Amino acid sequence: MTAHDLTKNQEMVLGALSAADGPLSAYTILDRLRDRGFRAPLQVYRALDKLLDYGLVHRLESINSFVACAHPHCHAHGSLAFAICEKCGQVEEFSDATVQSRLADWSREHGFKPSKTAIEIRGTCAACLAV
Amino acid sequence: MTAHDLTKNQEMVLGALSAADGPLSAYTILDRLRDRGFRAPLQVYRALDKLLDYGLVHRLESINSFVACAHPHCHAHGSLAFAICEKCGQVEEFSDATVQSRLADWSREHGFKPSKTAIEIRGTCAACLAV
DNA sequence: TCTCCTGTGTAATGATATTACATTCATTGC
DNA sequence: GCAATGAATGTAATATCATTACACAGGAGA
């Protein structure tokens, strides 16, 4: 797997996501990059599109936000799962081979050709439950 | 399980979703109900909130749309999964006990208390692949 | 009756995402 | 060198999705 050659905007967007301690919306990214020259949503969305392609960033469908991949070096792709804490906003990224194979089974049995799978558990994380 | 006593607006929104042959966005529902007196998005969103509570309607997070539950009589809840065709828009609703238990396992092991789980496979359905 | 709760009507606004069009810049082939 | 090409970028406008705020109507129960 060769490293991708990121453009300036892609670097900045990925940097903003990596520096954050949780998922960010596109408009939040935009705000954080305004003093670095960003002016319009499209600059963010275009960079995100590429970063999503490269697998360096994930989109959290259920909260319209984006996170840097937790394992940017091992591109062990397939369908990832996310646990999203509704209290603190923290996200845990994980994958489960059994879940993946069960969903793949269903798809095969039903002649469905999957392109992108979202598995998102919203709830309360251990840290927030402890409070 | 007692049948829910739906209000007029809830009936109309559920009716619109049941009559549709695929998921609808809130604004599409609004448009379809304009000649029945609907005027504002909130009328739709409020009805949807209740219908979601009752389990009569599901929200497809990845496409910001809503569908009538495919099994409104057997409220076999838990985390449902959806296969969404990006060509024709048709949605298949299904559930898989193994997937559910694996995700429940992960949650227990990590002290995460789930409230709502979304499992959505986007891709191409058998019918569209056959074309 | 009074209060409380739920549902409703309406306007305004906020939040997320895309379309359209012009420009810049590096690369390639002549 | 220099046109041709394609990717990335800049900007404005607009489309799409969702919520806040406030007012009113009607039923259930003290």
Side-chain angles (χ1 to χ4, degrees):
Chain A
M1 193 86 199
T2 75
H4 287 285
D5 212 359
L6 300 182
T7 67
K8 187 164 57 72
N9 284 3
Q10 289 160 18
E11 285 281 9
M12 287 195 281
V13 168
L14 181 56
L17 283 172
S18 300
D21 63 345
L24 299 180
S25 76
Y27 277 74
T28 302
I29 295 170
L30 174 58
D31 286 340
R32 295 193 181 184
L33 293 177
R34 278 195 194 282
D35 47 4
R36 305 197 56 190
F38 275 54
R39 312 296 310 275
L42 197 49
Q43 296 176 289
V44 176
Y45 282 109
R46 283 201 279 229
L48 285 172
D49 279 348
K50 291 295 184 183
L51 293 169
L52 290 168
D53 270 356
Y54 302 156
L56 297 174
V57 162
H58 305 300
R59 179 191 171 94
L60 300 173
E61 306 283 358
S62 64
I63 57 172
N64 297 317
S65 294
F66 305 84
V67 279
C69 177
H71 316 100
H73 298 302
C74 76
H75 294 263
H77 279 74
S79 36
L80 291 171
F82 300 92
I84 305 167
C85 179
E86 293 176 315
K87 284 272 196 308
C88 67
Q90 288 293 308
V91 172
E92 286 286 323
E93 175 184 333
F94 67 100
S95 68
D96 183 292
T98 303
V99 168
Q100 288 179 33
S101 80
R102 293 293 294 179
L103 295 179
D105 287 350
W106 187 95
S107 295
R108 184 165 13 75
E109 287 161 11
H110 291 76
F112 189 93
K113 179 158 171 270
S115 62
K116 184 155 192 339
T117 298
I119 304 173
E120 300 178 15
I121 312 176
R122 274 174 297 165
T124 310
C125 73
C128 287
L129 283 171
V131 176
Chain B
M1 194 86 198
T2 75
H4 286 286
D5 210 359
L6 299 182
T7 67
K8 188 165 56 74
N9 284 3
Q10 289 160 17
E11 285 282 8
M12 287 195 281
V13 168
L14 181 56
L17 283 173
S18 301
D21 64 344
L24 300 179
S25 76
Y27 277 73
T28 302
I29 296 171
L30 174 58
D31 285 341
R32 296 194 180 184
L33 293 178
R34 278 195 194 283
D35 46 5
R36 305 198 53 191
F38 274 55
R39 312 296 311 271
L42 198 48
Q43 295 176 291
V44 176
Y45 282 111
R46 284 200 279 227
L48 285 172
D49 279 348
K50 290 296 182 182
L51 294 170
L52 290 167
D53 269 357
Y54 301 157
L56 297 174
V57 162
H58 305 298
R59 179 192 172 92
L60 300 173
E61 305 283 358
S62 63
I63 56 173
N64 296 318
S65 295
F66 303 85
V67 280
C69 178
H71 315 101
H73 297 303
C74 77
H75 294 263
H77 279 74
S79 34
L80 291 172
F82 301 91
I84 304 167
C85 179
E86 292 175 315
K87 285 269 196 308
C88 68
Q90 289 292 309
V91 171
E92 286 286 322
E93 175 184 333
F94 66 100
S95 69
D96 183 292
T98 303
V99 169
Q100 289 180 32
S101 80
R102 294 293 294 178
L103 295 180
D105 286 350
W106 187 95
S107 295
R108 186 164 10 77
E109 287 161 11
H110 291 75
F112 189 93
K113 179 157 170 269
S115 62
K116 184 153 192 344
T117 298
I119 304 173
E120 299 178 16
I121 311 176
R122 273 174 298 165
T124 310
C125 71
C128 287
L129 283 171
V131 177

